[in-house]
Amino acid sequence: MPDRSTLLRVEHLRKVYESPTGDVEAIGDISFTMDAGELVCIVGPSGCGKTTLLKCLAGLLRPTSGVVEMDGAPVTGPSPAMAVVFQEYGRSLYPWLTVRGNVELPLRHKQLTRAARNKLVVDALEAVGLAHAARSHPWQLSGGMQQRVAIARAVAYQPDILIMDEPFAAVDAQTRADLEDLVRELHASRTISVVFVTHDIDESVYLGQRVLVLSTSPTWVQEDLAIDLPPERDQITTRALPRFTELRTHVYDQIQRAKRGQAVAPRSAR
Ligand code: ADP
């Protein structure tokens, strides 16, 4: 039986893509659990199956075998308890809707009064620092601001878990740092659980309470690392800590081992 606070349970997840040119085993055998309120980063070499894993978690892709459970119930399709933020913010927002309209759209599927919906939208836009841009259209905003709109839309939906797939890969370094801090702030202030997929080692260590290091494809969890940095983090002080350097060096080393095929898979994943 899962622990009471277990939000997400992944057990022996395997995913094989079938294609006319041959099957691709993207995920070999992945198992992990996540407690409610955690911020877990998933990091691994390019092509190792991060997006495949995330799609299985979000119910967008059916696993070949294994279990994904949310709150004790199997995930069989997209669930209102989950919201996903993708890397390609440009394609995830509707250009003909205003910022406000984009954030409000998914809420139309919820049984809410107009006043309650309005409050959620205003509140989410304030939380991401975009209250002033509610009437703008996405194409009038910078890339970083567009990704804030996507985050506001996810937060307004009030999911139990926010799943983010390399959400800041396409923005500049300064914007990325600001958005990382926004995620930490939202996680802390809204007690929302976050799964954050990234290929950026420093980002995973800066953001995460835990970092799952994935092996190369067919993937398994090479390491489940607790990030014992202080909970209050900021871009300058935290990244200057000797422990931050130790942790990022450790994760880097694990990924290099994964790439060289030096990590040994558990028997169940072979
Ligand atoms: P990552 O997100 O870590 O870059 P992906 O999950 O996108 O990795 O891909 C993992 C593996 O699965 C890769 O070998 C990729 O080529 C393969 N793959 C991904 N999507 C498909 C698909 N729809 N059909 C066949 N193979 C796929």
Side-chain angles (χ1 to χ4, degrees):
M1 278 294 285
D3 184 74
R4 268 185 148 204
S5 62
T6 300
L7 179 68
L8 190 65
R9 187 170 76 90
V10 177
E11 206 164 290
H12 297 306
L13 179 71
R14 179 167 184 259
K15 177 66 192 176
V16 180
Y17 290 106
E18 291 172 10
S19 87
T21 52
D23 293 354
V24 179
E25 187 181 8
I27 294 180
D29 185 344
I30 288 188
S31 299
F32 69 94
T33 59
M34 175 177 168
D35 287 349
E38 273 196 300
L39 198 172
V40 175
C41 289
I42 297 179
V43 70
S46 184
C48 77
K50 298 185 290 298
T51 301
T52 303
L53 169 62
L54 185 146
K55 285 181 178 165
C56 291
L57 298 185
L60 300 170
L61 199 59
R62 192 177 279 267
T64 304
S65 59
V67 177
V68 178
E69 270 182 11
M70 171 84 184
D71 264 336
V75 173
T76 52
S79 149
M82 294 186 180
V84 186
V85 175
F86 294 102
Q87 178 183 336
E88 292 164 334
Y89 48 81
R91 286 206 279 164
S92 77
L93 300 177
Y94 295 105
W96 59 89
L97 292 179
T98 60
V99 163
R100 203 208 125 78
N102 269 284
V103 175
E104 189 180 22
L105 192 66
L107 299 180
R108 292 182 180 272
H109 299 290
K110 290 196 166 188
Q111 304 284 332
L112 294 169
T113 62
R114 182 188 282 253
R117 210 162 61 209
N118 192 43
K119 184 169 182 325
L120 284 172
V121 174
V122 169
D123 178 46
L125 286 174
E126 264 174 24
V128 303
L130 280 184
H132 63 286
R135 289 166 191 268
S136 302
H137 284 79
W139 42 270
Q140 294 174 298
L141 308 178
S142 68
M145 287 167 87
Q146 288 181 41
Q147 195 55 304
R148 281 177 191 263
V149 179
I151 295 170
R153 183 172 58 188
V155 164
Y157 200 64
Q158 296 187 295
D160 292 335
I161 183 162
L162 180 58
I163 298 180
M164 309 184 88
D165 187 13
E166 307 219 12
F168 311 144
V171 298
D172 63 84
Q174 182 56 56
T175 305
R176 185 172 190 141
D178 292 345
L179 290 170
E180 286 167 2
D181 287 336
L182 174 64
V183 168
R184 285 200 52 85
E185 207 175 291
L186 292 172
H187 170 254
S189 62
R190 300 188 171 234
T191 51
I192 195 170
S193 311
V194 182
V195 175
F196 191 102
V197 173
T198 179
H199 65 263
D200 185 314
I201 295 165
D202 288 36
E203 183 167 76
S204 72
V205 172
Y206 179 70
L207 280 180
Q209 293 171 321
R210 260 166 82 195
V211 173
L212 300 184
V213 183
L214 300 185
S215 71
T216 48
S217 193
T219 312
W220 45 280
V221 178
Q222 193 171 304
E223 183 162 21
D224 184 344
L225 181 68
I227 302 297
D228 53 0
L229 292 169
E232 293 293 326
R233 300 183 195 174
D234 74 73
Q235 295 284 352
I236 295 172
T237 321
T238 306
R239 287 176 188 265
L241 292 173
R243 185 64 184 146
F244 181 87
T245 311
E246 277 169 24
L247 288 164
R248 56 105 38 216
T249 304
H250 179 80
V251 175
Y252 180 81
D253 187 46
Q254 285 293 317
I255 289 178
Q256 292 309 309
R257 283 162 56 89
K259 283 197 208 163
R260 291 194 298 264
Q262 285 178 345
V264 179
R267 184 162 293 281
S268 58
R270 280 180 232 160

